[in-house]
Amino acid sequence: MVDHHHHGFTEIQIPQQRHYNSIPFPSVLSPNQTTTPTKTAQLLTETVKSQKPFLESLLHKTGAVLFRGFDDVKTAKDFNDVVEAFGYEELQYEGAALRTKVVGRVVTANESPPEEKIAFHHEMTRGPGIPSKLFFFCEVEPSSGGETPIVLSHIVYARMKHKYPELVEKLEEHGLIYTRILGDDDDYSSPSGRSWKSVFLTEDKSVAEERAAKVGHKLEWMDVGVKRLMGPVPAIKYDKSRQHKIWFISVAGWEDMMENNGSTFGDGTPLPADFRHECLRILEEECVAIPWQRGDVLLLDNFAVLHARRPSKAPRRVLASLCK
């Protein structure tokens, strides 16, 4: 194993890592092991502040950076300090998950039970404001499972385009419509359990409709809850800075595609089952799932990487922070 020393970090290798054109995915940074044991532990916050240009270029090159083995990241407040050290602007979360503010810019990643898996997605693909970067922090590591698998979006696009050129072209032309049932009340047992009242911040159906229309969503009221149709929204985006196309999609509901939770082509036609299942297979095949260790901080470029969540037993506590 070759460890590379860079600007206050040691770049280490871990077994789960993949390499694309000899670029590691993700990049893993740990404290410099100096030859003389010093009294003070190396602080991640301080190192980040002094190494921003290096970290920016590393994230651009690799799409994901895992910081592991720093002693100063144990609590939500420590994590908030690390996020602040990067100096990115904060973005308020507006997705479907139930999240609670913990401290400063830090929120719970998802409050559904850890036994629930979460499908691959880019963060907030359907909203008007899309975060450019995401931070995750492991406060309590699960005894097994519970990884946050990550996958390079342009690789998924390339493989799907190769196998289904016409369907991918149709996606590029028409985008996707996402459908989801929003309940009348928050459901903490579901990974996307926010009620329509929570999403639209009102108890009044007509106000909810107005607010939905503002962001281009349609509501169809049901006996219980409401069916929300979002889109069409772009499914394939062009990453200008890296000059390739990305698979800017949430594949929630693609396994069984119940009529009410999932997606269709932007023209309303269904996504063929083999197309959906091949995509899920590619995501699993190309993804990297690194077991969380307490104190891990994972920085993702939301325009380069899709992420998911694997099931685990409690306790598991992973916190998040989103940047504009």
Side-chain angles (χ1 to χ4, degrees):
M1 273 168 78
V2 189
D3 291 347
H4 299 286
H5 294 268
H6 290 291
H7 317 290
F9 292 106
T10 301
E11 214 170 325
I12 62 169
Q13 297 189 332
I14 56 173
Q16 295 82 9
Q17 245 168 342
R18 300 180 73 109
H19 288 82
Y20 294 95
N21 303 327
S22 71
I23 295 169
F25 178 70
S27 176
V28 186
L29 300 180
S30 71
N32 271 341
Q33 306 303 330
T34 41
T35 42
T36 52
T38 47
K39 292 271 188 293
T40 54
Q42 185 182 336
L43 301 179
L44 181 53
T45 45
E46 296 309 311
T47 319
V48 163
K49 278 179 192 158
S50 65
Q51 302 304 331
K52 267 189 226 150
F54 163 69
L55 291 170
E56 284 278 336
S57 70
L58 187 65
L59 183 66
H60 187 263
K61 190 173 83 174
T62 62
V65 181
L66 174 65
F67 300 90
R68 174 166 278 181
F70 289 87
D71 289 340
D72 63 324
V73 225
K74 291 199 167 62
T75 66
K77 188 188 174 313
D78 297 340
F79 172 48
N80 191 62
D81 292 342
V82 171
V83 174
E84 292 279 353
F86 275 88
Y88 302 130
E89 216 181 320
E90 181 183 8
L91 182 80
Q92 297 295 329
Y93 177 72
E94 287 175 6
L98 284 156
R99 291 186 170 180
T100 306
K101 194 164 156 166
V102 181
V103 57
R105 304 168 53 157
V106 174
V107 293
T108 54
N110 190 306
E111 299 200 19
S112 65
E115 294 78 23
E116 296 278 337
K117 76 176 235 189
I118 296 173
F120 277 102
H121 60 288
H122 283 273
E123 199 60 38
M124 291 159 63
T125 45
R126 320 173 186 90
I130 299 168
S132 68
K133 298 175 186 71
L134 320 172
F135 288 90
F136 290 106
F137 162 65
C138 177
E139 190 179 29
V140 180
E141 65 186 72
S143 51
S144 71
E147 300 95 341
T148 300
I150 52 176
V151 63
L152 284 166
S153 196
H154 72 283
I155 302 283
V156 182
Y157 170 80
R159 288 191 58 181
M160 287 297 283
K161 176 87 176 168
H162 179 72
K163 181 133 193 195
Y164 296 101
E166 293 86 4
L167 290 173
V168 171
E169 215 159 283
K170 186 171 173 180
L171 265 186
E172 294 189 49
E173 195 182 330
H174 294 288
L176 278 174
I177 292 173
Y178 291 99
T179 51
R180 176 162 280 153
I181 300 292
L182 301 175
D184 292 325
D185 300 294
D186 288 343
D187 174 6
Y188 282 89
S189 72
S190 160
S192 50
R194 284 175 77 199
S195 67
W196 63 267
K197 294 168 190 168
S198 279
V199 169
F200 298 112
L201 303 173
T202 179
E203 305 250 320
D204 181 327
K205 289 184 175 181
S206 55
V207 173
E209 281 174 23
E210 269 168 45
R211 291 183 180 164
K214 254 194 202 131
V215 288
H217 301 169
K218 285 193 220 39
L219 299 183
E220 295 175 2
W221 297 98
M222 302 164 72
D223 297 342
V224 177
V226 65
K227 181 173 173 175
R228 173 176 63 168
L229 293 98
M230 298 176 272
V233 292
I236 308 297
K237 280 188 187 277
Y238 181 67
D239 178 351
K240 286 193 201 73
S241 69
R242 297 180 185 86
Q243 302 192 330
H244 55 213
K245 289 180 177 172
I246 55 171
W247 193 253
F248 206 70
I249 287 172
S250 163
V251 298
W254 280 30
E255 272 171 47
D256 40 17
M257 201 62 104
M258 285 117 55
E259 197 181 322
N260 294 324
N261 279 321
S263 37
T264 63
F265 284 110
D267 63 0
T269 52
L271 304 169
D274 63 322
F275 176 81
R276 298 195 320 262
H277 293 147
E278 179 64 9
C279 177
L280 296 174
R281 199 186 65 71
I282 288 170
L283 285 162
E284 281 306 324
E285 202 176 283
E286 295 287 347
C287 80
V288 172
I290 299 166
W292 281 112
Q293 291 180 12
R294 180 169 181 230
D296 281 352
V297 173
L298 178 63
L299 168 58
L300 300 181
D301 181 326
N302 191 41
F303 290 107
V305 176
L306 299 116
H307 65 281
R309 181 180 84 182
R310 288 197 176 157
S312 69
K313 298 256 184 295
R316 173 194 189 270
R317 190 163 155 91
V318 172
L319 305 177
S321 187
L322 285 69
C323 310
K324 276 191 179 154

